[in-house]
């Protein structure tokens, strides 16, 4: 099982300058490469300080020049916010800049908050149509001249300039949850990225089962796709039995902020969203720190190794260390170092 880092610039108040936030992210990526991680993922988000990434391609292009080996994943770009020609060309350019290390993940989008600002009038729940149309269009543009007459986009004969390093283009990944998304990804030769969010490891197994069903339903796909699991992760020292509590509380804050943005009912102030109050989750025990201690990947190195061995046995190809969690950079860096020093060697 390979490991990757899923990371964004994140700010929770204005005491940390954006430049410092970027330098912190770069430091984490360089540590991940030095420690043997296979890939870094940076997603796309707009007008929100807790996940800062208006265009992951820009960040990954910079990181391409600062790194030598680690693969560079745009994970994910939001299909309704991109024209296929632009998506194909920018992904190919990243691939060229990085010497063939680019990977591209695509999603339908989740936040109506973003849709209202970037594609007014489009419902976030309708983003799946954009995803299903853009994936094959990008592939065709990488191949050469292609004219498109779809339900969403129409353009005359065009092509991706530049072309990717490999004729087939960078590996493509689809953010999937329901069975139809898994089926679409596999049918189109794409890998699958999933997150169980605040659910337990039974949800990981359920997502893997959907993936395996999709593979079984498409024997015509000759190259077996891969599945990556993304999960909030924090490793603490065995000498600190209460070391789980601070990250569990921080992840609780992260999810309450996610809820505030997702609900799209509270105005942000200069990009900062006030987390939903704890009282809103009184009837949702899965978001309490004690529950997150069990469901998020929080624990000592030995505890984390034991759980990840179970993921490996399920058939997970890649585990993404989701480091965004509202904690300080110093806390994140210490956790990542423990993971690199005491967890990764168990899988080599």
């Amino acid at each position: 099982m390979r490991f990757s880092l899923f990371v964004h610039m994140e700010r929770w108040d204005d005491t940390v300058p954006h430049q410092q936030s970027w330098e912190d992210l770069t430091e984490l990526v360089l540590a991940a490469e030095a420690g043997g991680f296979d890939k870094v993922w940076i997603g796309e988000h707009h007008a929100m300080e807790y996940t800062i990434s208006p265009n992951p391609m820009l960040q990954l292009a910079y990181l391409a020049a600062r790194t030598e080996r680690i693969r560079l994943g745009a994970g994910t770009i939001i299909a309704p916010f991109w024209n296929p020609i632009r998506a194909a060309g920018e992904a190919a350019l990243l691939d060229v800049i990085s010497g063939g290390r680019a990977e591209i993940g695509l999603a339908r989008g989740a936040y109506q908050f973003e849709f209202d600002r970037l594609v007014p009038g489009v419902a976030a729940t309708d983003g799946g149509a954009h995803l299903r149309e853009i994936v094959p269009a990008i592939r065709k543009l990488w191949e050469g001249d292609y004219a498109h007459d779809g339900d969403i986009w129409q353009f005359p004969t065009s092509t991706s300039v530049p072309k990717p390093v490999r004729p087939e283009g960078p590996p493509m990944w689809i953010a999937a949850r329901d069975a139809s998304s898994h089926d679409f990804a596999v049918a189109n030769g794409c890998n699958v990225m999933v997150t169980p969010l605040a659910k337990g490891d039974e949800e990981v197994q359920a997502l893997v089962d959907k993936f395996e069903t999709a593979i079984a339903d498409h024997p015509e796909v000759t190259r077996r796709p891969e599945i990556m699991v993304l999960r909030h992760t924090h490793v603490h020292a065995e000498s600190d039995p209460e070391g789980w509590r601070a990250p569990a509380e921080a992840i609780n804050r992260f999810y309450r902020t996610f809820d505030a943005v997702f609900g799209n009912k509270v105005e942000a102030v200069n990009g900062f969203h006030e987390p939903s109050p704890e009282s809103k989750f009184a009837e949702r025990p899965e978001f309490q720190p004690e529950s997150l201690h069990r469901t998020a990947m929080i624990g000592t190195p030995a505890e984390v190794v034991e759980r990840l061995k179970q993921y490996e046995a399920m058939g997970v190809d890649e585990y993404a260390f989701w480091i965004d969690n509202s904690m300080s950079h110093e806390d994140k860096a210490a956790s990542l170092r423990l993971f690199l020093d005491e967890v990764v060697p168990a899988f080599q």
Side-chain angles (χ1 to χ4, degrees):
M1 185 168 63
R2 301 185 311 275
F3 295 104
S4 57
L5 180 69
F6 190 91
V7 60
H8 294 92
M9 298 166 61
E10 58 173 317
R11 296 203 316 161
W12 296 86
D13 56 50
D14 58 10
T15 60
V16 177
H18 286 108
Q19 182 64 38
Q20 184 62 54
S21 182
W22 172 246
E23 291 173 2
D24 291 344
L25 182 149
T26 302
E27 178 185 318
L28 294 172
V29 173
L30 295 178
E33 179 178 59
F37 271 27
D38 179 73
K39 196 178 294 122
V40 56
W41 291 102
I42 301 178
E44 175 184 6
H45 289 293
H46 299 273
M48 57 183 75
E49 289 276 4
Y50 93 114
T51 47
I52 305 168
S53 187
N55 187 341
M57 306 290 189
L58 292 174
Q59 299 172 77
L60 295 167
Y62 172 88
L63 293 169
R66 295 290 306 274
T67 58
E68 297 179 358
R69 179 197 54 80
I70 198 166
R71 298 190 63 78
L72 305 159
T76 56
I77 64 169
I78 310 304
F81 303 163
W82 290 72
N83 177 285
I85 299 172
R86 180 182 165 216
E90 290 201 24
L93 181 58
L94 174 63
D95 203 41
V96 170
I97 289 171
S98 65
R101 288 188 282 150
E103 308 210 3
I104 179 170
L106 297 108
R108 68 182 188 179
Y111 295 120
Q112 190 62 49
F113 172 86
E114 292 180 307
F115 277 68
D116 289 347
R117 287 154 178 80
L118 273 78
V119 283
V122 177
T125 51
D126 294 336
H130 297 72
L131 178 64
R132 290 188 293 273
E133 189 170 321
I134 202 171
V135 167
I138 290 173
R139 281 245 172 83
K140 290 292 186 181
L141 289 162
W142 282 340
E143 291 174 6
D145 280 341
Y146 169 68
H148 185 79
D149 185 19
D151 293 333
I152 297 164
W153 296 285
Q154 302 83 37
F155 52 81
T157 300
S158 306
T159 191
S160 173
V161 178
K163 293 292 187 297
V165 172
R166 289 172 293 181
E168 68 274 17
M172 298 180 76
W173 297 73
I174 301 297
R177 187 156 201 86
D178 57 55
S180 63
S181 297
H182 284 263
D183 188 82
F184 169 80
V186 172
N188 283 272
C190 298
N191 301 315
V192 170
M193 51 202 331
V194 300
T195 175
L197 295 175
K199 296 184 178 180
D201 290 347
E202 71 282 353
E203 178 70 3
V204 177
Q205 184 64 67
L207 291 165
V208 171
D209 289 346
K210 291 175 184 177
F211 173 70
E212 293 292 348
T213 296
I215 289 177
D217 288 344
H218 290 281
E220 76 282 2
V221 176
T222 55
R223 185 197 68 81
R224 178 183 170 89
E226 297 185 343
I227 184 169
M228 180 263 277
V229 172
L230 164 67
R231 175 142 253 178
H232 284 288
T233 305
H234 187 90
V235 186
H236 64 85
E238 190 170 357
S239 60
D240 182 10
E242 287 294 303
W244 64 269
R245 186 171 295 279
E249 291 174 349
I251 293 169
N252 165 276
R253 180 189 186 190
F254 185 95
Y255 278 128
R256 288 190 292 114
T257 307
F258 173 93
D259 179 79
V261 180
F262 192 81
N264 199 29
K265 294 179 180 179
V266 179
E267 288 294 327
V269 178
N270 204 24
F272 292 104
H273 288 79
E274 185 70 22
S276 295
E278 292 276 13
S279 58
K280 183 176 179 180
F281 295 91
E283 305 301 321
R284 301 287 299 278
E286 67 269 28
F287 290 107
Q288 298 308 308
E290 291 76 12
S291 178
L292 290 169
H293 178 205
R294 296 187 299 273
T295 57
M297 190 64 68
I298 300 173
T300 65
E303 291 169 339
V304 170
V305 166
E306 181 180 3
R307 283 185 69 192
L308 288 177
K309 287 290 184 181
Q310 297 173 11
Y311 286 20
E312 188 175 47
M314 291 178 194
V316 173
D317 299 292
E318 178 179 330
Y319 179 80
F321 184 125
W322 190 0
I323 204 165
D324 303 343
N325 58 15
S326 86
M327 299 187 82
S328 72
H329 171 68
E330 291 72 23
D331 287 334
K332 293 177 185 178
S335 166
L336 179 61
R337 175 52 55 197
L338 270 177
F339 191 95
L340 295 171
D341 290 348
E342 300 189 34
V343 174
V344 171
F347 296 85
Q348 292 175 330

